[in-house]
Amino acid sequence: MSFGFFRNLTKPKPAPVQEREHVVAGRSLPLKIVENDRARRLTLRIDSGGRGLRITVPPGLRRGEVEKFLDRHQEWLEQRLAKVPNRPQVRPGIKVPVRGVPHRIVHEPSKRGTVTVSRDERGPLLIVHGERVHLPRRIADFLKREAKREIEALVVKHTQALGKRAKAIRFKDTSSRWGSCTSEGNLSFSWRIMMAPAPVINYLVAHEVAHLKEMNHGPKFWKLCEQLCPDTERCKAWLKRNGGALQAIAFE
């Protein structure tokens, strides 16, 4: 099977993507094989939280070469995935951070509504109402609402300071990045960032807003980031150190 594709000179086609499962040390992980016109060699990446694998390949590469590449890197994958935290399933009794503060999940099926923030003598709570089967999704929806409310306000704050405007703000559950900014001015954020401390949320928004002016990671970009968020270095280090654990939390 070939990964090659015909070029359309008037409107470039998106890169072909093949999706399947790949077993590593008894774990079946989603694998995406993505053809990139600019790739000169195969590259392998583990998504944040160990939620999946991604191989980028040059155009026209034979299927057999991908399989050989995976075989050669099987031991490397096993070693890396062994260091990835287990994926805790969202359920009653566990704690999920909200703005960096752990909240214990309490299920109260008899009440109406979705999620209520409360506290007891043991600390902050997330009280989830309705059927048990919907509990993970309702907490995810709660985090999405919190992300929309807080991040949209932070975007306004930082774009005003920068003298730029964002064309659109979107929220996704991305496994490979926390945020992005397109050349058209569209900003995207992972709603999972609402589990990080408030300064880290602010840093992420400042980072993506800075890309409205500097579409790179050069010295000018980082200087701009520091202007918008003086805690840039500390927050960047926190996200690098702890981001994988946030990505690993399973809301399915």
Side-chain angles (χ1 to χ4, degrees):
M1 176 179 178
S2 172
F3 293 99
F5 62 97
F6 293 105
R7 298 177 185 274
N8 187 321
L9 298 180
T10 57
K11 185 179 180 181
K13 293 182 179 180
V17 178
Q18 179 188 347
E19 299 186 26
R20 62 180 177 86
E21 295 290 310
H22 183 67
V23 178
V24 183
R27 298 171 59 181
S28 183
L29 298 174
L31 168 66
K32 286 187 178 180
I33 303 171
V34 182
E35 185 177 286
N36 189 315
D37 196 32
R38 294 177 294 179
R40 295 293 176 266
R41 60 188 178 87
L42 290 85
T43 57
L44 174 61
R45 185 177 70 195
I46 302 173
D47 290 338
S48 296
R51 293 195 292 169
L53 309 173
R54 180 187 179 97
I55 295 181
T56 303
V57 304
L61 193 76
R62 293 193 300 272
R63 170 77 175 270
E65 294 301 316
V66 174
E67 302 305 325
K68 292 177 183 177
F69 180 77
L70 280 170
D71 288 343
R72 290 199 302 271
H73 290 82
Q74 193 77 354
E75 184 176 347
W76 178 85
L77 282 172
E78 291 175 2
Q79 292 173 351
R80 288 301 181 95
L81 288 169
K83 299 177 182 178
V84 174
N86 291 329
R87 297 201 68 194
Q89 175 70 47
V90 171
R91 64 186 185 277
I94 76 162
K95 292 183 178 181
V96 170
V98 180
R99 296 179 180 84
V101 179
H103 285 60
R104 182 165 50 88
I105 298 173
V106 175
H107 183 216
E108 294 187 358
S110 61
K111 295 186 178 181
R112 293 178 178 271
T114 54
V115 177
T116 303
V117 179
S118 184
R119 65 180 305 115
D120 63 9
E121 67 280 358
R122 296 166 59 187
L125 305 173
L126 286 179
I127 301 175
V128 186
H129 311 295
E131 295 182 33
R132 168 67 177 83
V133 68
H134 301 308
L135 183 144
R137 176 179 57 80
R138 284 184 169 156
I139 292 181
D141 289 343
F142 166 78
L143 291 172
K144 292 172 188 177
R145 290 192 298 271
E146 292 294 297
K148 179 176 174 62
R149 181 169 61 86
E150 181 154 337
I151 288 177
E152 286 184 352
L154 287 170
V155 168
V156 170
K157 171 188 171 182
H158 289 308
T159 52
Q160 287 179 345
L162 196 63
K164 292 281 189 178
R165 290 187 62 185
K167 184 178 179 181
I169 305 172
R170 300 184 177 95
F171 298 94
K172 304 177 180 179
D173 188 11
T174 50
S175 59
S176 59
R177 58 174 63 185
W178 287 102
S180 64
C181 174
T182 70
S183 57
E184 293 81 18
N186 297 318
L187 302 178
S188 293
F189 299 95
S190 169
W191 52 262
R192 288 174 179 263
I193 196 63
M194 288 311 298
M195 293 186 284
V200 178
I201 300 169
N202 179 59
Y203 155 71
L204 177 65
V205 177
H207 182 115
E208 299 309 333
V209 167
H211 279 311
L212 293 172
K213 191 170 184 179
E214 295 289 339
M215 288 293 294
N216 55 67
H217 286 102
K220 289 183 179 179
F221 166 81
W222 289 113
K223 183 178 180 180
L224 192 57
C225 239
E226 291 279 357
Q227 291 173 0
L228 295 174
C229 175
D231 284 339
T232 285
E233 287 302 319
R234 183 170 64 90
C235 293
K236 183 170 67 169
W238 189 97
L239 199 55
K240 183 177 181 180
R241 186 171 61 251
N242 300 285
L246 301 186
Q247 293 283 10
I249 297 174
F251 288 88
E252 298 87 8

